[in-house]
Amino acid sequence: MKNRSVFVTGAGGELGSALLSHLVKAGAKVVALDVNEKYVCPLAGVRTVHGDLCNQNLLQSLFDEHKFDMVFHFAALLSSAAEKNPFLSQKVNVDGTGFLLELAYNAGKERKSPTRFLFPSSIAVYGSADKARLRSPLTEDECLQPETLYGIQKLFTEQVGAYLTRRCSGEYLDFRSLRYPGLISIDTLPTGGTSDYAAEMIHHANDGKAYGCFVSSNSKLPFMTMPDAIAALTSLAEADADKLTRSVYNVRGFSVSAAELREEVLKHFPKAQISFEPVEWRDNVVASWPDDIDDSLAQKDWGWSACHSLETAFTDYFLPGLRKAA
Ligand code: SER
C-alpha cells in the first residue's frame, strides 16, 4: 500500500470507516468520498470529499488530479434499501459503479500499470428456485440466481469487473472482489441492509433496549466480524496476482440462526429483551440467501482464515469493545 494513491468511496460507511486507518498506517495517500455532508475523515492526511457517486464530473476530476492506482468501492444502497428504491439503486449500484470501473480502467491504461479495484460483493448474489440447495454451504459458482435487485447488481458488477480485467489481460484493471456474509461491527451500525438484525440485536442488548427482530427465529445466515472483514479485504488487496485463480472469493466467519444468536446474546446480556417480529418481505430476502458459504478457495489461494467464531466474536471482540466504548 505504501505510496499508493487510493480512492475510497462510501468512506463514511461501516467498511470505509474501518478500513481507512489501515490504509493510512500502511502509508497510502487516501481520498475519502462520501455523500454525507457531515462526514469528515478524522485521520490526518486523508482528503475528505463530499459528493455523489453519480457525479461523473467530480469523479473524473478526482481521477485526473490524484491518478488513483487503487480503489475501494463501498458506496452502495444495501439490499433492503435497494428493494425500496429500485431505480435509485440502479443509478448508484450499477451506473455509478460502471463509470468508476471505466475511470479505473482508463487510469491503468494511461499509466501502463493496472488499477487495483476492490469490490465488496455479497451472499446476496446467491439464490435458487430449489430452496433446499441454499441450506448447505455454497461454493463460488453454485446457485447464482439472485432474487433481490441488490444481489443481481452485485453479481453483474462481479462479472463486469472480471470481464474488463480479462479484456486487458490484467494490464489496466485488476478487479478483485470478496463475497461478504453479514458484517457485525461494534463501532457502527449498518443501514439499509437485511443482515442488519444481527448487529442491531447485539447493540440493543448492550444499550439495554428491547429489540424486535425483523426476521424469523429460524433464519440462518453466515456472518463475520468487522476486524475479520477488514483483514480479508487487505489480504486480498495485497495478495500477489499470480496467487489468485479467480476475481471473486467467498469469505465467512460463522453461520448462525437468529434464535442461536439470541441465545448467545442472552449468555452475555441475561436481561436482554429480544422478541421475533418478522417482516415478511425482509424475511423472504434472508430466506433467498444461503445459510452458509464455503470459503476454502480463499484459504487455499491467499491464505485466508477468519479469526472469530461465534463464541470468540463475543468474548474477544464485541464485549471488550462495547465495554470500552461505554
Ligand atoms: N449485508 C448486506 C445486506 O444485508 C448483504 O450483503 O444488504
Side-chain angles (χ1 to χ4, degrees), residues 78-80 121-124 150 180-183 192-196 289:
L78 296 189
S79 58
S80 290
S121 187
S122 161
I123 48 166
Y150 174 76
Y180 276 133
L183 301 181
T194 315
S195 60
D196 300 8
W289 293 348

Side-chain angles (χ1 to χ4, degrees), residues 13-306:
E14 288 212 285
L15 278 163
S17 47
L19 177 73
L20 280 168
S21 59
H22 290 259
L23 295 178
V24 171
K25 268 189 215 135
K29 289 172 275 171
V30 184
V31 175
L33 178 77
D34 203 280
V35 71
N36 180 355
E37 296 284 336
K38 291 195 186 119
Y39 168 73
V40 180
C41 177
L43 302 166
V46 173
R47 177 178 170 199
T48 302
V49 177
H50 296 128
D52 191 322
L53 187 70
C54 299
N55 182 341
Q56 296 197 346
N57 291 336
L58 173 67
L59 295 195
Q60 180 76 64
S61 67
L62 290 172
F63 264 82
D64 289 346
E65 185 180 346
H66 293 278
K67 315 273 180 227
F68 300 119
D69 56 14
M70 194 176 242
V71 176
F72 288 86
H73 175 36
F74 302 133
L77 271 75
L78 296 189
S79 58
S80 290
E83 291 301 303
K84 285 197 234 165
N85 305 287
F87 301 111
L88 178 63
S89 78
Q90 281 290 99
K91 286 200 181 86
V92 177
N93 296 358
V94 179
D95 303 343
T97 300
F99 187 62
L100 194 60
L101 279 168
E102 184 181 334
L103 290 174
Y105 187 99
N106 289 338
K109 190 171 182 179
E110 204 171 295
R111 196 175 43 240
K112 298 189 176 56
S113 76
T115 309
R116 202 164 280 186
F117 194 106
L118 277 297
F119 178 67
S121 187
S122 161
I123 48 166
V125 299
Y126 290 106
S128 172
D130 178 1
K131 293 284 178 285
R133 293 202 58 199
L134 303 173
R135 305 288 80 92
S136 37
L138 297 177
T139 59
E140 278 82 353
D141 297 324
E142 296 175 277
C143 296
L144 296 173
Q145 285 107 37
E147 289 180 24
T148 60
L149 185 54
Y150 174 76
I152 293 166
Q153 293 161 344
K154 286 288 188 194
L155 187 58
F156 176 74
T157 302
E158 284 183 3
Q159 294 184 348
V160 172
Y163 163 81
L164 291 172
T165 299
R166 275 198 311 278
R167 187 177 198 273
C168 63
S169 308
E171 283 181 34
Y172 314 144
L173 183 73
D174 178 355
F175 176 89
R176 304 177 178 194
S177 179
L178 287 176
R179 279 195 197 139
Y180 276 133
L183 301 181
I184 310 177
S185 169
I186 51 165
D187 300 312
T188 48
L189 271 167
T191 43
T194 315
S195 60
D196 300 8
Y197 64 87
E200 289 175 2
M201 201 184 276
I202 295 164
H203 280 266
H204 275 71
N206 183 58
D207 296 343
K209 291 186 191 151
Y211 183 62
C213 180
F214 59 78
V215 298
S216 310
S217 58
N218 61 352
S219 301
K220 193 169 185 183
L221 286 181
F223 287 96
M224 177 180 256
T225 62
M226 190 55 77
D228 272 339
I230 297 302
L233 192 62
T234 50
S235 310
L236 180 63
E238 285 168 357
D240 290 339
D242 57 10
K243 284 200 179 140
L244 306 181
T245 57
R246 50 188 305 125
S247 304
V248 180
Y249 288 92
N250 286 348
V251 285
R252 44 89 75 196
F254 48 87
S255 165
V256 67
S257 72
E260 289 160 346
L261 183 64
R262 178 179 180 274
E263 286 308 303
E264 198 64 32
V265 171
L266 284 170
K267 273 192 212 162
H268 305 284
F269 300 94
K271 292 191 187 139
Q273 289 174 269
I274 303 164
S275 55
F276 289 97
E277 297 162 23
V279 174
E280 195 181 359
W281 69 272
R282 300 188 91 183
D283 217 18
N284 291 341
V285 167
V286 173
S288 77
W289 293 348
D291 286 10
D292 204 356
I293 52 176
D294 178 334
D295 64 1
S296 42
L297 280 176
Q299 296 179 30
K300 185 165 156 267
D301 286 2
W302 43 278
W304 161 246
S305 142

Side-chain angles (χ1 to χ4, degrees), residues 302-323:
W302 43 278
W304 161 246
S305 142
C307 235
H308 294 131
S309 62
L310 175 63
E311 292 75 24
T312 61
F314 275 83
T315 54
D316 300 357
Y317 173 56
F318 302 145
L319 298 173
L322 291 168
R323 272 189 212 120

